[in-house]
Amino acid sequence: MDRIEVLKRNLGRVVVRRDEGEERLSIFTDPGVEKEPLPMRKANAFALLLREAPVHIYPEELIVGIPFRETPSREDPATRVIIPEGVSGQGYIDQGHRLNATGLSDEPYSPIVPSLKGYGVSTRYALFPHYATEEEIAEARRSGLDENSNPGHLQAGHFRVIKYGWSGLKEMAEEGLSMVDDSEMGRRRADFLRSVIICLEAAQAFALRYSELAREMAEDEGSPRRRGELLKTSEVCWSVAERAPETWWEALQLNWFTHLISHAQGAHQLGRFDQYMWPVLERDLERGGVTVEEAQELLECLWLKFCMLTEYTMDNLQNIILGGQTPDGRDATNPLSYMCMEATDRLETIDPKWSIRVHRGSPEEFLRRAAEIIKEGKSQPGIYNDEIIIEALQRIGVPLGDARDYSNAGCSEILVQGRWVPWAFEGRVKLLKCLELVMRRLDEFEAFDELMAALRDEISVAVAMAVSSLNLLQRAVPRISPNPWVSATVEGCIERKMDLTEGGATYNYAAICASGVADTADSLAAVRKLVYEEGVVEKRELMGALQTDFEGHERLRQMLLNRAPKFGNDDDYVDSLAAEIVEHTSGEVSRHRNPRGGGYNLGLFTYGDYIAHGIVTGATPDGRRAGQGISPNFSPCPGRDRKGPFAAMRSTAKINQLLTPNGTALDLMLHPSALRGPEGTDKLVSLIQAFNKLGGMQVQFNIVDGDTLRAAQLEPEKYQNLTVRLWGFPAYFTRLPQEFQDHLIARTEHTV
Amino acid sequence: MVSIVVTMSGATGLVFDLKHFAVHDGPGIRTTVFLKGCPLRCLWCHNPESQSPHPEIITHPERCIACGACVDACPTGAISEPGNIDPVECTMCGGCVEACYAGALELVGEPMTVGDVLGEVDKDRVLYESSGGGVTLSGGEPAAQPGFAARLLRALKERGYHTALDTCGHAPWGTLERLLGYVDLVLYDLKHMDPATHEELTGHPNDLILSNLERLNERGTPAVNVRVPLIPGYNDSDGHLRELGAFLSGLGRVDAVELLPYHRLGIPKYGSLGREYALSHIEPYEKGRLMEIREFLEGFGLDVILEGVD
């Protein structure tokens, strides 16, 4: 069996430990600790965590380091023992659902995602040692935060870590420390820089533990081949601790350690992996330090490490993005871009999640390779349109070179890699909920324009509420949970001597995500046409029908569903309403500022909340029943786009996507028969190119037919590897809750 | 009245479907315009609603909410219970379809002008450009609406689109030839080589179809792909395939032979039209058999495309 097979087999050998109680570590065992400033306590807790984390090397591993929630089994060291939430994540989906399934909410808005406590501010890795004072904890609790809270959808500055190494970053911090003065501000800066240095040193010590372990294992190893590998591993881990990476192996090991540690601190994404890793590989190849085959094997070893963090019912946000442009505007694809695709294709795993950036000069070969993998039904990659995204970033003031260095954040949001702390997804506006509220006053509006004006006002209020809630949170987080480790890596923090939670990063935008654009536009189109233009529906009748969830009004509901234009069919009547709503919402969002010194950007994302937002929204005049799910992300409502995938693309492209710098995503389902053979690949490439030409921002495909999904519901055991794309990541279909399965089946599969 | 006058001048055509993102009707990504009305009555036809040259009402009982609006809307009393239309009494006024919000009644066959069609087709221009696609005229039988087909094809050519004509070949040569000047690719259907069997299966013998194909071959342009629907037990015997292969390779100018294996997707439509489906006993092919047939025909030096497998 070759190495990759052994590693894959080990991955599957998981024992879920259910009943062993977790003993919480604490830094308060030493006297006088509580007098230290918060950042120092946090950093010391971080160091304690890394000191106490179990270390283990599985058979045949070349890239080493196990997740903190894992211990090797004593009986069989090839078996991984994981606590339950490390497997199922106590999923976002479950949580969002549970919190909302109480029925229709009369509360007008819950501007922050309700599952915030569990996810938006990441506490999923509830393993952090106790470090905060009782007063700090009490204050944090008022905002729903605790010692495990970190801003969600964070991205560590991986490119800086590879470039400078931990040691280089430490030197920067030390240099900064030598320059701070003795003022109050100077002391705060010094505390921050010290906290950064403690974290970097803790990481170095962590790597050295692995170096030591590998050397000890080498001594007991019978096979000369494996002994050599373990000695080499030991050397690599030592180098990683001491300096910037010089070899491909070192770079991969450093990337994994950095990711593993960051992952437990709320930073889950890898950014432009092919860009920051390629220079090291290129040098190593030129020098003859590694062959292409060895480099590929090492890369796949890393890929399988990412799979140790796979969660089945939620997005673990472990994203990389390939291709695109260099900061000086050249095509950025390189041999590593292809090696990454090769690894993903061959290993058939859903981690790492990956996407591609496409611009006018993207090589045909790159697009074709990506299209081939999409066609295989792997539900990856998502496609990002460079031309629109770079311009959208420039429009909000990001310099061109940095704009060209964007990557995706947690799911599909846009940020400049390694320099940007986003708060990308916590603030929400439910457009359809706004409309539901306005509809209760329908009889007050003489003309359709009055209804629109009322809706605009309602949206403005919802945006302001979401912003003020999110601003409260952004102020609260640094008072309970500074993040010195991720701050050590993100550009700007060491330079400004300020934690990322306080605004240390180079870019500090926050975002408001609006859901239900399609549903709201469909609703408005129906009211405009049937009530105001044709007069075939009475206002009172419609209001009554909505209040009673269409009880006794099924014919009216059918009229609303079938006799008014629907978003996604390239019909200006309804698409222009969607454009108007987005334009207004964008304007409102961008008026606001956040306490970290940045502005606000609009995104059109629902994430998994297309179910939850539906549950809290009553019947709406698009014919949707109370509680039914809404449109996912920036997509047409399930089953309502009937004129082919390009019509859906054209509808979305009518909305000016320069107004949504936080990102949008069109989710499309294509029937596999539409894309058979090499010609099918060409057609998919053409479709992607046409989408970009229209000015679409992001598109993601599901290549699967409804029959297969229905069959998988009936006989899940036969379809365990069936992968579908949810709101921004691939997931195993049969492991999803029923309502998510059904929602996917209801989406239109575009056939031929 | 929704009664439709398809004028002799061909200013208006009767279209029963307009399919965006069509990927099996010629090169690239295309828009396929389906004209209603066909001279043939192939037993396996998967678009039975395409056959009649008149608008038709089809039913989708699964969508019916039994509101009774169609009963109230019918001026002749042809509808005694929701969704159940007496074809003798029905005058095709379309009142019931208009009243049926649930979409359980559907009028198939929409009169469209050349401008209407262009309006739809132009939307996909970017897609034709990026994929090397264009527009395909299909049916029914486009040559059964010769005036409209010619006007539409000419307008498409004037816009610079790649055009394909999907025809069953059963039309006077002069009618077909009028269209060919505006066509880049002909998708020419051929069902059976034997005239008597052809008549049994389609309602007409094949002499006109074969002679038109020979003339098309002699004409030199446009390019021709011959499409053969493969119907298990009806036209897939070795003897027939041999005759077919010999004829097509003898023509010399056939660019490709597309095999369209029998499928059952059209069967529900017969129910919607209140018609019987003659071939319900047939099972679709196993992949292995299709590969055999392809290989067999390739033995004649033909370039064979196996739809749905390749």
Side-chain angles (χ1 to χ4, degrees):
Chain A
M1 204 187 304
D2 76 356
R3 184 191 318 277
I4 298 301
E5 284 309 310
V6 173
L7 296 180
K8 275 181 90 166
R9 198 190 50 178
N10 290 350
L11 266 185
R13 300 173 69 190
V14 169
V15 175
V16 179
R17 188 184 65 202
R18 291 196 181 278
D19 45 11
E20 282 179 46
E22 192 81 1
E23 202 178 319
R24 181 102 187 263
L25 298 167
S26 170
I27 62 163
F28 290 107
T29 47
D30 298 332
V33 171
E34 61 278 355
K35 295 210 179 64
E36 284 185 14
L38 177 63
M40 298 290 284
R41 277 182 272 129
K42 177 77 187 261
N44 285 325
F46 175 88
L48 176 62
L49 173 71
L50 263 56
R51 222 164 33 236
E52 295 294 324
V55 293
H56 185 70
I57 297 174
Y58 291 106
E60 293 301 313
E61 281 194 321
L62 297 178
I63 305 296
V64 300
I66 62 170
F68 301 147
R69 302 305 267 165
E70 181 167 328
T71 48
S73 158
R74 275 181 216 99
E75 295 78 47
D76 178 2
T79 305
R80 307 165 62 213
V81 181
I82 301 174
I83 60 152
E85 63 262 38
V87 181
S88 70
Q90 298 272 316
Y92 176 48
I93 291 173
D94 297 341
Q95 191 144 17
H97 182 57
R98 201 170 51 237
L99 283 165
N100 287 292
T102 48
L104 292 184
S105 154
D106 230 19
E107 183 205 357
Y109 314 102
S110 38
I112 300 289
V113 56
S115 50
L116 189 65
K117 281 184 209 155
Y119 190 75
V121 175
S122 175
T123 61
R124 285 185 296 137
Y125 304 92
L127 48 85
F128 212 78
H130 178 37
Y131 64 88
T133 63
E134 272 169 33
E135 299 77 53
E136 285 163 349
I137 291 171
E139 192 200 326
R141 199 171 290 135
R142 291 170 50 214
S143 315
L145 303 176
D146 60 31
E147 290 171 302
N148 287 294
S149 300
N150 289 296
H153 293 208
L154 261 182
Q155 189 181 87
H158 284 286
F159 80 98
R160 274 162 63 92
V161 174
I162 294 299
K163 193 169 165 191
Y164 301 115
W166 295 335
S167 55
L169 295 173
K170 200 179 119 196
E171 277 166 32
M172 271 185 232
E174 281 162 350
E175 202 188 321
L177 191 57
S178 70
M179 293 190 298
V180 294
D181 55 36
D182 202 29
S183 66
E184 165 66 22
M185 183 56 89
R187 276 196 297 279
R188 283 179 57 188
R189 287 173 168 164
D191 288 341
F192 165 72
L193 288 170
R194 278 192 202 103
S195 73
V196 163
I197 292 165
I198 291 170
C199 288
L200 288 164
E201 285 175 348
Q204 289 175 314
F206 180 68
L208 289 176
R209 288 176 67 203
Y210 269 98
S211 176
E212 212 175 352
L213 175 65
R215 203 186 59 239
E216 284 166 15
M217 287 173 73
E219 281 163 18
D220 298 336
E221 175 62 48
S223 148
R225 174 191 62 84
R226 184 62 185 155
R227 189 183 313 129
E229 286 173 1
L230 286 166
L231 287 173
K232 182 73 190 161
T233 303
S234 171
E235 204 180 294
V236 165
C237 291
W238 184 86
S239 305
V240 159
E242 296 303 318
R243 56 171 165 74
E246 289 171 4
T247 68
W248 179 232
W249 194 336
E250 288 169 16
L252 292 169
Q253 183 63 59
L254 175 58
N255 187 249
W256 172 247
F257 277 150
T258 306
H259 176 61
L260 186 60
I261 297 169
S262 304
H263 204 265
Q265 293 292 291
H268 308 115
Q269 316 129 38
L270 277 306
R272 303 185 73 190
F273 182 87
D274 61 341
Q275 300 306 302
Y276 58 76
M277 294 294 274
W278 170 241
V280 183
L281 176 56
E282 190 179 26
R283 277 201 307 275
D284 209 3
L285 287 168
E286 273 169 12
R287 191 169 46 209
V290 68
T291 66
V292 173
E293 291 72 30
E294 288 163 354
Q296 182 74 34
E297 185 185 39
L298 283 164
L299 179 70
E300 290 177 12
C301 287
L302 174 66
W303 254 224
L304 290 169
K305 295 303 287 187
F306 288 136
C307 294
M308 288 188 159
L309 297 168
T310 294
E311 292 165 29
Y312 294 106
T313 58
M314 67 188 298
D315 192 353
N316 61 5
L317 315 177
Q318 196 168 242
N319 292 323
I320 63 170
I321 192 161
L322 305 174
Q325 294 168 67
T326 61
D328 57 1
R330 286 171 297 121
D331 176 62
T333 48
N334 59 42
L336 181 55
S337 321
Y338 294 93
M339 288 170 66
C340 292
M341 291 202 268
E342 183 62 33
T344 296
D345 192 22
R346 196 156 54 194
L347 297 173
E348 297 194 305
T349 51
I350 57 172
D351 273 302
K353 277 67 176 178
W354 66 293
S355 298
I356 60 168
R357 285 177 42 175
V358 178
H359 63 106
R360 276 189 281 272
S362 290
E364 191 81 15
E365 189 194 350
F366 178 66
L367 286 178
R368 282 190 62 90
R369 190 74 190 96
E372 278 167 8
I373 298 174
I374 293 174
K375 271 175 52 180
E376 287 167 20
K378 302 247 170 77
S379 303
Q380 304 202 66
I383 316 282
Y384 290 73
N385 179 4
D386 267 17
E387 272 82 26
I388 282 291
I389 292 170
I390 291 169
E391 196 184 336
L393 290 175
Q394 281 186 278
R395 217 173 144 271
I396 57 169
V398 178
L400 180 57
D402 277 2
R404 283 177 177 146
D405 206 23
Y406 80 86
S407 80
N408 58 329
C411 290
S412 316
E413 312 92 340
I414 309 298
L415 50 69
V416 176
Q417 74 155 343
R419 304 173 177 87
W420 178 311
V421 170
W423 288 87
F425 103 113
E426 291 87 347
R428 302 298 185 83
V429 169
K430 304 185 195 83
L431 296 173
L432 194 62
K433 187 75 189 174
C434 295
L435 181 88
E436 184 203 349
L437 296 176
V438 170
M439 284 302 295
R440 294 181 191 169
R441 296 188 280 135
L442 179 64
D443 54 351
E444 295 172 19
F445 310 126
E446 286 296 318
F448 178 73
D449 286 349
E450 291 172 27
L451 184 150
M452 278 302 278
L455 177 62
R456 278 195 296 270
D457 290 348
E458 201 72 43
I459 291 172
S460 304
V461 170
V463 168
M465 286 180 64
V467 165
S468 64
S469 308
L470 193 52
N471 282 352
L472 279 175
L473 267 178
Q474 288 173 79
R475 283 192 198 96
V477 164
R479 292 203 287 264
I480 181 67
S481 185
N483 201 327
W485 165 255
V486 181
S487 296
T489 68
V490 170
E491 184 192 273
C493 298
I494 292 179
E495 290 86 340
R496 294 180 184 179
K497 306 177 182 65
M498 189 191 276
D499 195 274
L500 65 84
T501 57
E502 296 185 304
T506 303
Y507 298 103
N508 289 294
Y509 295 100
I512 296 297
C513 292
S515 70
V517 174
D519 316 67
T520 307
D522 287 356
S523 296
L524 288 170
V527 174
R528 178 183 223 169
K529 181 168 182 278
L530 302 172
V531 176
Y532 287 98
E533 285 177 8
E534 297 178 358
V536 290
V537 178
E538 294 285 331
K539 288 175 191 164
R540 284 264 163 210
E541 181 194 4
L542 180 56
M543 289 165 72
L546 295 178
Q547 286 302 316
T548 57
D549 195 14
F550 296 110
E551 185 66 51
H553 294 278
E554 183 58 18
R555 187 151 186 266
L556 170 62
R557 193 176 84 87
Q558 292 295 335
M559 181 196 255
L560 296 166
L561 274 174
N562 296 317
R563 291 294 161 93
K566 296 287 180 277
F567 183 76
N569 296 291
D570 191 14
D571 186 329
D572 288 343
Y573 188 94
V574 54
D575 298 347
S576 61
L577 292 166
E580 212 176 317
I581 297 159
V582 172
E583 202 170 312
H584 173 74
T585 311
S586 172
E588 286 302 301
V589 168
S590 57
R591 287 194 315 132
H592 295 282
R593 306 281 299 168
N594 72 55
R596 294 174 295 129
Y600 270 92
N601 296 326
L602 174 64
L604 301 179
F605 296 117
T606 54
Y607 309 94
D609 290 329
Y610 48 86
I611 303 290
H613 286 192
I615 289 172
V616 298
T617 306
T620 41
D622 54 345
R624 179 189 142 281
R625 288 186 192 282
Q628 267 184 3
I630 62 168
S631 56
N633 285 336
F634 182 36
S635 310
C637 295
R640 289 186 192 163
D641 50 331
R642 305 218 171 130
K643 290 200 167 178
F646 197 57
M649 286 180 167
R650 282 179 54 93
S651 281
T652 54
K654 284 177 203 170
I655 284 72
N656 181 359
Q657 297 185 34
L658 297 175
L659 301 177
T660 54
N662 190 46
T664 69
L666 168 62
D667 304 348
L668 275 186
M669 201 144 156
L670 293 180
H671 195 278
S673 69
L675 301 171
R676 280 205 189 97
E679 277 192 12
T681 307
D682 291 340
K683 283 164 188 165
L684 185 53
V685 169
S686 309
L687 190 62
I688 292 166
Q689 287 169 332
F691 175 75
N692 280 10
K693 216 165 166 181
L694 289 177
M697 200 170 213
Q698 199 220 130
V699 61
Q700 38 195 33
F701 296 100
N702 260 311
I703 313 292
V704 66
D705 60 295
D707 287 343
T708 304
L709 298 182
R710 279 182 285 270
Q713 277 189 322
L714 293 176
E715 296 182 283
E717 63 285 356
K718 287 190 187 165
Y719 294 88
Q720 297 208 25
N721 287 327
L722 178 62
T723 308
V724 293
R725 196 168 180 93
L726 290 182
W727 54 95
F729 69 98
Y732 294 116
F733 180 77
T734 57
R735 302 193 191 215
L736 297 174
Q738 166 106 24
E739 60 269 38
F740 283 83
Q741 293 183 355
D742 291 344
H743 193 275
L744 209 57
I745 289 171
R747 296 185 200 171
T748 310
E749 26 167 313
H750 292 289
T751 55
V752 284
Chain B
M1 288 286 283
V2 192
S3 74
I4 307 305
V5 182
V6 179
T7 57
M8 288 306 287
S9 70
T12 309
L14 193 61
V15 175
F16 82 88
D17 197 6
L18 197 148
K19 176 90 193 161
H20 295 271
F21 202 71
V23 294
H24 298 315
D25 299 325
I29 300 172
R30 314 184 68 82
T31 302
T32 302
V33 184
F34 295 90
L35 300 189
K36 196 156 158 37
C38 183
L40 303 188
R41 291 291 179 270
C42 304
L43 295 179
W44 54 83
C45 182
H46 66 276
N47 283 332
E49 76 277 25
S50 75
Q51 294 174 351
S52 157
H54 306 293
E56 285 172 273
I57 293 171
I58 62 174
T59 61
H60 303 282
E62 74 284 0
R63 296 184 197 160
C64 179
I65 57 168
C67 65
C70 54
V71 178
D72 297 340
C74 184
T76 64
I79 309 178
S80 53
E81 57 181 285
N84 197 346
I85 305 172
D86 179 349
V88 180
E89 297 295 323
C90 175
T91 60
M92 284 299 298
C93 72
C96 56
V97 176
E98 188 60 33
C100 182
Y101 297 150
L105 300 175
E106 186 190 354
L107 188 68
V108 178
E110 185 188 353
M112 290 180 88
T113 64
V114 169
D116 293 338
V117 175
L118 291 177
E120 282 295 313
V121 159
D122 286 344
K123 291 177 173 179
D124 292 343
R125 177 187 281 271
V126 180
L127 208 47
Y128 310 145
E129 284 166 2
S130 68
S131 71
V135 182
T136 300
L137 210 51
S138 182
E141 172 50 51
Q145 296 186 39
F148 179 70
R151 279 168 175 248
L152 178 57
L153 285 166
R154 188 173 63 209
L156 291 168
K157 275 329 288 179
E158 278 166 5
R159 281 171 138 72
Y161 294 137
H162 179 279
T163 56
L165 175 70
D166 182 10
T167 177
C168 72
H170 190 81
W173 173 248
T175 304
L176 271 183
E177 200 177 23
R178 254 184 84 197
L179 305 179
L180 295 179
Y182 311 119
V183 169
D184 298 302
L185 170 68
V186 178
L187 305 169
Y188 199 98
D189 300 355
L190 187 54
K191 279 103 182 180
H192 208 284
M193 294 302 295
D194 177 63
T197 315
H198 195 279
E199 185 163 6
E200 230 170 85
L201 300 179
T202 73
H204 286 281
N206 61 6
D207 44 339
L208 184 58
I209 294 170
L210 292 177
S211 75
N212 280 343
L213 181 53
E214 282 165 346
R215 287 169 119 158
L216 186 57
N217 185 60
E218 282 158 27
R219 195 174 183 272
T221 61
V224 179
N225 284 5
V226 171
R227 298 181 131 185
V228 181
L230 283 177
I231 314 301
Y234 285 76
N235 64 355
D236 61 348
S237 70
D238 285 358
H240 178 251
L241 291 173
R242 191 172 298 118
E243 201 182 337
L244 182 74
F247 174 73
L248 292 178
S249 67
L251 288 173
R253 267 209 59 255
V254 171
D255 290 86
V257 179
E258 297 178 23
L259 299 177
L260 313 177
Y262 171 80
H263 63 76
R264 303 168 67 95
L265 299 177
I267 298 181
K269 295 181 179 178
Y270 283 84
S272 289
L273 286 161
R275 286 169 50 177
E276 290 292 319
Y277 181 65
L279 300 187
S280 44
H281 57 287
I282 295 187
E283 289 297 322
Y285 286 102
E286 301 288 328
K287 190 175 171 183
R289 173 64 184 144
L290 291 172
M291 305 303 268
E292 272 174 33
I293 296 176
R294 172 165 69 180
E295 215 166 286
F296 184 79
L297 287 173
E298 281 172 343
F300 291 87
L302 296 164
D303 180 11
V304 183
I305 299 164
L306 189 49
E307 198 59 74
V309 177
D310 284 324

